[in-house]
Amino acid sequence: QVQLVESGGGLVQAGGSLKLSCVFSGRTFSTYAMGWFRQAPGKEREFVASIIWNSGALTNYADSVKGRFIISRDNAKNTVYLQLNSLKPEDTAVYYCAADLGLRNWPPSTYGYWGQGTQVTVSS
């Protein structure tokens, strides 16, 4: 079955950067659209970014991160990345990697698989 394992979170000062990674296994990675979500303390999980299957030529971002975060994928490594730049304290959250249902719907409306999350903490 599909498994997702995130890494790369940590503590960073405001204005700093982090790069998150998510390794996909169990199915053919290139056929899945991938997404990143986050959940801040006391808040519901929110969408951050998504990337289309195969080449990843199409991406989508939440307005709150547009211009600061970059989603990318490396199919040879079965990995999706999220580059977080110009971090703000309000970016503090657990970041989750997700895979869609492999049905080639763009943008995905439903995700079928989730990682366990990686903590990103941005200090003032």
Side-chain angles (χ1 to χ4, degrees):
Q1 193 56 264
V2 169
Q3 297 179 73
L4 302 170
V5 180
E6 303 99 328
S7 63
L11 175 64
V12 64
Q13 292 185 359
S17 298
L18 286 172
K19 189 171 186 177
L20 309 182
S21 299
C22 172
V23 179
F24 175 110
S25 63
R27 300 282 176 87
T28 303
F29 173 68
S30 62
T31 67
Y32 287 81
M34 301 294 295
W36 286 95
F37 293 74
R38 67 187 182 185
Q39 188 167 22
K43 307 278 284 186
E44 294 194 355
R45 186 174 297 183
E46 66 174 342
F47 168 78
V48 175
S50 60
I51 187 165
I52 197 169
W53 52 87
N54 292 339
S55 71
L58 297 177
T59 58
N60 188 246
Y61 297 92
D63 288 343
S64 60
V65 307
K66 196 170 298 181
R68 297 190 298 124
F69 293 4
I70 302 171
I71 188 171
S72 61
R73 68 190 300 153
D74 186 340
N75 293 332
K77 296 181 178 179
N78 288 352
T79 301
V80 63
Y81 304 95
L82 186 68
Q83 177 69 46
L84 300 81
N85 299 315
S86 301
L87 282 163
K88 306 173 181 179
E90 50 262 46
D91 295 318
T92 295
V94 177
Y95 283 71
Y96 297 92
C97 173
D100 77 346
L101 299 176
L103 301 177
R104 295 184 181 267
N105 295 321
W106 181 256
S109 59
T110 303
Y111 291 82
Y113 308 96
W114 297 84
Q116 294 300 309
T118 185
Q119 176 71 49
V120 172
T121 303
V122 184
S123 63
S124 301

